[in-house]
Amino acid sequence: MEFEQLRSHSVITKHPLNPILSAKDVPYPSRCVFNAGVTKYQGKYVMIFRNDYGYLGGCLFEGCNLGIALSDDGIHWEVGAEPFMTLEKAAMPECKRLYDPRLTVIDGVLYLCFAFDTAHGIRGGTARVREDFSGMEILSLSAPDNRNMTLFPEKIGGKFVRLERPFTVYSRGGKDRFDLWLARSPDCVYWGEHALVLAVEHVPYANDKIGPGAPPIKTKKGWLTVFHAVDLDPNRGKRGWEDTWKKRYSAGIMLLDLDDPRKVVGMSKLPLIAPESPDETEDGFRAGVIFPGGMILEESGEVKIYYGSADTVECLATADAEELLRLCVEPKH
Ligand code: BMA
């Protein structure tokens, strides 16, 4: 595949109101609002988003916290007066940065997965969110280096299941070559039974790494699952605010077996969402980044896919569930 020609699939409609959330909507210091987790909970759409503030130049920001926003329609959002989570509030020893939230409701309980950086590696956390959104109870913190945890919305075979992305540098040639894995847990605290689900070499439009995107949604044919896929081109130079940025992130889609989600039933050979509009490819902090973190199946059959764009704003794309399924089971698409 010619890396320069990526386009979103024709089944995708990018929402005309994009970006649906950005720094100007946030009532506390904010520069970039992106990579949000989104779900339906207590009759509302709930979004927890990454908020980077105080741009210092290069790839540096003063800090990053997690904001919260609520919506009645999944399109128009009201942002909470204070961040949902800050470094101080999380009070996790060693944590230097908390980011990339994902939300899943299991048996009426809202769970948050997040990445966090420490002086001794990058880790992934899983927590239970308090019903009044006043905080969270941490359930498990992974060993480094691993992140992008996303929980399935129900137990499978009596166990919690999550997708995750370890950083397998040493065994994969000493450079980025990262794959998408699955783990299971009896209690959401102790995780094991790890299995490889999808490798970077299985994705025709990735040459660098892949990782879980939004928590999977259940359909009769399997778990519809989006992931991010990265291609690296050493010839890329300055595109966004950063001095140089050589990667491009697209979203892909696959279908996992309902009873055994380690098995890929099918995967689209083409990207599902690619960076293409000017605010996705030219403006923003890191141009050319589509990072999906939330997916909701509506009763109408519409699927809402939420993605961070250019590490700067939060956007929405929609598609029909049947069409998404067809992409996965008819591999020519
Ligand atoms: C990844 C993560 C994401 C980010 C992406 C592109 O490694 O840090 O949060 O969106 O890079 O910068």
Side-chain angles (χ1 to χ4, degrees):
M1 166 159 314
E2 172 54 63
F3 279 131
E4 288 315 312
Q5 289 175 358
L6 294 188
R7 285 266 163 263
S8 296
H9 200 283
S10 57
V11 303
I12 285 289
T13 304
K14 288 183 177 170
H15 201 279
L17 291 182
N18 278 341
I20 54 153
L21 203 75
S22 58
K24 67 173 171 27
D25 305 315
V26 177
Y28 42 86
S30 175
R31 186 70 195 264
C32 296
V33 165
F34 63 113
N35 293 3
V38 189
T39 193
K40 272 186 180 171
Y41 177 63
Q42 296 175 345
K44 291 256 184 197
Y45 293 79
V46 180
M47 176 192 286
I48 292 188
F49 57 86
R50 170 172 169 181
N51 176 48
D52 286 12
Y53 57 90
Y55 184 54
L56 300 172
C59 63
L60 297 176
F61 288 81
E62 243 170 69
C64 166
N65 50 40
L66 302 183
I68 186 161
L70 299 179
S71 168
D72 289 323
D73 61 5
I75 299 165
H76 303 87
W77 297 88
E78 194 170 328
V79 178
E82 303 284 336
F84 164 73
M85 195 49 57
T86 59
L87 264 192
E88 298 69 39
K89 204 169 159 188
M92 290 159 54
E94 277 218 348
C95 178
K96 291 165 168 267
R97 186 171 70 135
L98 193 77
Y99 56 104
D100 289 0
R102 313 280 167 89
L103 292 174
T104 307
V105 178
I106 308 172
D107 295 334
V109 176
L110 181 59
Y111 293 85
L112 170 74
C113 295
F114 55 93
F116 67 107
D117 296 347
T118 77
H120 301 97
I122 293 174
R123 306 174 65 184
T126 303
R128 201 179 285 135
V129 177
R130 288 190 204 133
E131 275 180 42
D132 60 1
F133 305 119
S134 62
M136 63 183 187
E137 265 69 59
I138 289 174
L139 298 170
S140 75
L141 302 174
S142 78
D145 275 334
N146 197 348
R147 71 174 167 201
N148 294 314
M149 277 91 192
T150 52
L151 284 168
F152 283 68
E154 61 184 66
K155 291 182 192 167
I156 304 171
K159 290 193 176 146
F160 290 89
V161 184
R162 77 181 181 195
L163 299 175
E164 56 186 51
R165 210 285 306 282
F167 296 72
T168 42
V169 179
Y170 195 71
S171 60
R172 299 280 272 143
K175 53 182 180 165
D176 281 14
R177 204 70 193 150
F178 311 151
D179 312 306
L180 191 153
W181 287 68
L182 176 147
R184 296 191 243 232
S185 170
D187 51 11
C188 220
V189 176
Y190 296 97
W191 291 90
E193 300 176 25
H194 294 83
L196 177 67
V197 176
L198 189 72
V200 59
E201 61 269 25
H202 297 149
V203 181
Y205 47 92
N207 68 0
D208 186 69
K209 56 181 173 176
I210 59 170
I217 54 175
K218 193 176 192 181
T219 73
K220 283 195 185 114
K221 295 200 173 122
W223 295 101
L224 208 42
T225 307
V226 288
F227 55 90
H228 68 261
V230 182
D231 74 86
L232 175 80
D233 180 345
N235 298 317
R236 290 192 189 117
K238 186 163 175 61
R239 293 184 291 156
W241 311 340
E242 241 186 330
D243 301 337
T244 180
W245 176 240
K246 297 179 187 305
K247 293 177 188 166
R248 173 175 46 193
Y249 282 62
S250 313
I253 189 153
M254 65 178 165
L255 190 66
L256 303 178
D257 186 86
L258 272 186
D259 301 321
D260 184 356
R262 292 171 304 182
K263 291 188 192 149
V264 179
V265 177
M267 182 197 76
S268 173
K269 297 267 190 279
L270 296 171
L272 182 69
I273 311 176
E276 55 213 333
S277 66
D279 57 327
E280 290 167 352
T281 56
E282 292 163 28
D283 308 334
F285 169 50
R286 281 188 169 160
V289 178
I290 297 288
F291 203 80
M295 182 157 63
I296 292 174
L297 173 59
E298 304 288 9
E299 275 171 23
S300 64
E302 180 192 71
V303 178
K304 289 190 169 73
I305 304 170
Y306 296 88
Y307 60 96
S309 170
D311 282 7
T312 308
V313 293
E314 186 65 21
C315 292
L316 169 64
T318 57
D320 177 70
E322 288 302 323
E323 294 198 305
L324 292 176
L325 285 170
R326 219 171 296 134
L327 295 190
C328 298
V329 293
E330 292 173 16
K332 65 178 181 300
H333 295 290

